[in-house]
Amino acid sequence: MASWTLAYDGFDPDQEALREALCTLGNGYFATRGAVEESDADETHYPGTYLAGGYNRLVTDIAGRPVENEDLVNLPNWLPLTFRPEGGEWLNLPSTQILVYRQELDLEQGVLRRVMRVRDREGRETHLTARRLVHMGSPHLAAIEWTLLPDNWSGGIEVLSALDGRVINCGVTRYRQLDGKHLIPLIAEELGEDGLLLVAETSQSRIRIAEAAQTRAYSNNERIKSERQFRQDHGYAAHALSFEVAEGSPVTIEKIVALHTSRDRAISSPEQAARNTLRKAGRFAALLEDHARAWSQLWRRCDITMEGRQRTQMILRLHIFHLLQTVSPHSVDLDAGVPARGLHGEAYRGHIFWDELFIFPFFNLRIPEITRALLCYRHRRLPMARWLAHESGYRGAMYPWQSGSDGREETQTLHLNPKSGRWLPDNSHLQRHVNAAIAYNVWRYYQATGDHEFLSYYGAEMLFEIARFWASIAVFNPIRGRYEIRGAMGPDEFHDRYPWSDTPGLDNNAYTNVMAAWVLGRALEARNHLDAERRTELDESLGLSAEDLAAWDEIGRKLMVPFHEGVISQFEGYERLLEFEWEAYREKYGDIRRLDRILEAEGDTVNRYKASKQADVLMLFYLFSSDELGHLFNHLGYSFEKELIPRTVDYYLRRTSNGSTLSGIVHSWVLARSDRAESWMQLKDALESDIADVQGGTTPEGIHLGAMAGTVDLIQRGQTGLEIRDDTLRLDPCLPHELQGLSFRIRHRGQWLDVEIKGGRITVSASESWDGPSRLVIGGKSYPLGAGEVRQVACHYPQRGDDRAEGG
């Protein structure tokens, strides 16, 4: 079961925050970090709980300047559960003698387990086995089961179970100068004879949160009669249970919790809903059975099986696990986006960026209903995107770089450099390419599903308004005879201005311009997929004219793409920047991923150098096949030789610090067919980025969901060459020799297809109702593929020893 289990032996306070993030449990509605139940928020532990879409806005005075932030709110803590032998101290790991300690995250069933034996000051030894779940089948339920075994003592024991609404947002050190008190406690009371009810409300967004908990003790499956004392404080409710235990006789404590908010549908009030859900919940064993069944169904759809690398298999499943905990089938009924750091911590304040670009391909091929719901989050915020464009002097829709509750721009105007302690201007809102990412996601979803109703009533409107934005931001240069996009930022993020300019922004970022041209083309193509009546309706409601369409066509053929030294330039003027002394800085600092912070602390700026934080130009080779890019560049009037790709890849790989976990995903992808060994190394690094916290302290603040999703997509599409285009399923595997076999399922337009690559053969099995692509192309050869058919084909991707290096 090692490939299904993330395990830790021994209690390590320095690693606890990382473990808590990686051991988070969630169900798409809410998630709770893997902090031990007996802990409070301190320098070791941070027991946060987060609701999908649960934001609140606060204003803090920083150096005489009001700074407004919207945060994903840390909800009342439902975990508190602890014990003490009579006359002893409450369980506290840092001050307790720990004899045995092991923690396991069961990925298959979605259960967090802990086994430990502790000794108190009086020499009393107690064995504790804990299990916890956040219910995947019933999204408002969570549960804890403790089994306590007195190893060498008998006597009285006290168990304390609480709901704590006194929490604040303080999980990210660099945000602690900002106000983090989002909750107003309203109710803390008993619920019947063995229950608790806690109600709080966010201070600005007025989200009402209700948690109801029931704690009971059992021996031999029979309820233990215990003395119960109610303890109350402002925003805090607890029950202290007292009863007798005997040496060698285990007792079980079950804490069942219901969580509802005023954002829920089909409820009268969150308080009443929490009461009702708790009353119907049943015991831990029954909840676990239903919960495990829900996970089993998800794994049947979503698992990817690898042979030859057990740890790689486990990490891949860990990444799928956290994807499904952040957005699950429960997300379909929610108005929520997908936070870049999951529901696992407070980094990026729970905002939504462009990481959807890396996340949606996984769901498009398995549970596209989730993608549809997340795209509807964007559609509901289309009016705000229109307003943002209008306020900036553009037409159409300009989506924000960071989005939260209502779709306004949440990007800060200042950010803190922790290396220098200085607050600096933040220009990252100039990353207009988020608009292209949203349009790309709309179109790829439509291609994967054939969901014509979505395109007609939601997708086309977004495509048209984003196309209108690109047409309005593009400026014609009569000297060049081309359109230009000026004053933007690319995905690189290091460069936000020219070193010779005081004005933020860069001109003609190649990625942005090419993506804009692609979007303009897809908007025109989307019109051909609409029936005449719907086309007329959108033209009328959006005020689209023949002149608009003609402009889209012209601009889409004449946007500028800069080049230098035989490669695509990251942006115009890139060749004027200085080369950076990479080896000298690596020798001086070791880790230079955040080169921008290092240079700023030295009084310098990364804007002066040919140095990128993450993939920028190379994103084009990640998102499009060489055939697609060739067509796109030719449409723009540029020649596109296939040798341009390896030249450009090599050029930027040598000039990138990999300051983002997304970078390794892109680099592994673009190297998959030219250098399998290096591609495998990049993939291994990407797989390890969160579990090993390679950025030194970022993962404890929240996992990197885009990077996790990207590794999965690297396996399912990048390493297999999987592509569905022109009614043809294409497979061109390039598995590294470390992977002895690979199998997975995909869903295309409602039908399932099973793929296995093993022993030099590809086996493709179509479902009995398969009506997807009728042709299968492997290694350039075409084969028919019909309903219920199993097609087995020899594949000749390089075998062991064919690489330049083994790759570990």
Side-chain angles (χ1 to χ4, degrees), residues 348-464:
Y348 299 168
R349 301 182 177 89
H351 293 164
I352 292 92
F353 293 71
W354 73 319
D355 301 64
E356 300 162 332
L357 198 67
F358 299 85
I359 293 167
F360 286 177
F362 173 78
F363 290 109
N364 285 343
L365 293 175
R366 285 172 177 79
I367 317 176
E369 295 84 358
I370 293 176
T371 306
R372 191 184 205 270
L374 296 171
L375 288 171
C376 284
Y377 164 88
R378 294 295 194 179
H379 185 265
R380 293 186 195 99
R381 285 145 187 84
L382 184 57
M384 179 59 77
R386 289 188 179 110
W387 176 250
L388 291 174
H390 171 77
E391 287 292 282
S392 296
Y394 305 122
R395 300 177 67 206
M398 185 178 77
Y399 280 91
W401 176 239
Q402 296 187 36
S403 180
S405 61
D406 61 8
R408 73 181 77 177
E409 179 60 80
E410 300 294 350
T411 304
Q412 271 302 310
T413 57
L414 296 173
H415 71 273
L416 176 67
N417 180 358
K419 285 193 175 294
S420 67
R422 287 189 286 267
W423 288 86
L424 307 166
D426 190 334
N427 296 311
S428 56
H429 67 280
L430 295 175
Q431 294 187 73
R432 310 302 187 197
H433 62 86
V434 66
N435 296 277
I438 293 168
Y440 182 91
N441 291 334
V442 167
W443 190 251
R444 291 307 196 207
Y445 166 78
Y446 173 67
Q447 286 183 312
T449 62
D451 188 346
H452 187 269
E453 293 304 310
F454 171 83
L455 182 69
S456 180
Y457 287 96
Y458 305 103
E461 186 179 11
M462 286 190 281
L463 283 171
F464 294 168

Side-chain angles (χ1 to χ4, degrees), residues 670-690:
V670 300
L671 289 169
R673 276 156 180 76
S674 62
D675 188 344
R676 290 193 310 134
E678 180 60 27
S679 175
W680 173 248
M681 291 297 292
Q682 294 276 358
L683 174 54
K684 282 208 315 177
D685 288 346
L687 284 163
E688 293 285 342
S689 60
D690 269 329

Side-chain angles (χ1 to χ4, degrees), residues 365 448 722-724 727-730 745-755 764-776 783-790:
L365 293 175
L722 173 66
E723 184 182 8
I724 299 175
D727 197 38
T728 301
L729 171 67
R730 302 172 188 271
R745 309 180 75 201
I746 63 168
R747 182 178 169 205
H748 179 70
R749 302 195 174 185
Q751 306 300 323
W752 286 100
L753 193 77
D754 291 278
V755 178
V764 178
S765 306
S767 64
E768 291 293 337
S769 55
W770 176 256
D771 61 356
S774 58
R775 305 296 300 174
L776 171 66
Y783 308 89
L785 183 65
E789 193 167 354
V790 178

Side-chain angles (χ1 to χ4, degrees), residues 127-289:
H127 190 278
L128 167 65
T129 302
R131 297 192 293 177
R132 183 196 306 174
L133 61 86
V134 172
H135 209 289
M136 184 55 81
S138 301
H140 302 284
L141 282 171
I144 300 167
E145 179 197 70
W146 271 19
T147 300
L148 291 167
L149 177 65
D151 285 336
N152 64 351
W153 62 279
S154 300
I157 191 172
E158 188 175 6
V159 173
L160 185 68
S161 176
L163 298 173
D164 190 353
R166 302 169 300 184
V167 300
I168 62 173
N169 276 54
C170 62
V172 179
T173 302
R174 62 189 176 279
Y175 299 166
R176 288 177 186 170
Q177 296 181 43
L178 304 169
D179 189 358
K181 191 178 187 311
H182 292 280
L183 294 176
I184 300 172
L186 300 177
I187 299 171
E189 64 185 24
E190 285 187 288
L191 190 63
E193 67 175 24
D194 55 9
L196 303 168
L197 178 66
L198 183 77
V199 181
E201 188 174 69
T202 55
S203 60
Q204 171 270 330
S205 57
R206 299 301 177 189
I207 301 173
R208 198 174 178 94
I209 305 111
E211 293 179 358
Q214 172 186 280
T215 307
R216 293 174 176 172
Y218 299 87
S219 177
N220 295 320
N221 221 29
E222 298 290 333
R223 282 279 301 274
I224 296 175
K225 292 183 179 179
S226 59
E227 295 183 13
R228 189 178 292 259
Q229 182 184 28
F230 178 58
R231 300 178 182 179
Q232 184 185 38
D233 197 357
H234 187 58
Y236 176 86
H239 270 148
L241 289 70
S242 300
F243 50 91
E244 295 293 315
V245 295
E247 179 180 343
S249 297
V251 296
T252 298
I253 314 297
E254 294 186 4
K255 181 177 184 178
I256 314 298
V257 178
L259 188 157
H260 281 269
T261 80
S262 53
R263 288 172 53 88
D264 297 349
R265 301 188 184 194
I267 65 169
S268 173
S269 72
E271 304 95 289
Q272 189 60 48
R275 291 170 185 261
N276 293 340
T277 298
L278 183 63
R279 186 175 65 250
K280 301 171 185 175
R283 290 193 55 184
F284 185 91
L287 292 176
L288 176 58
E289 182 179 358

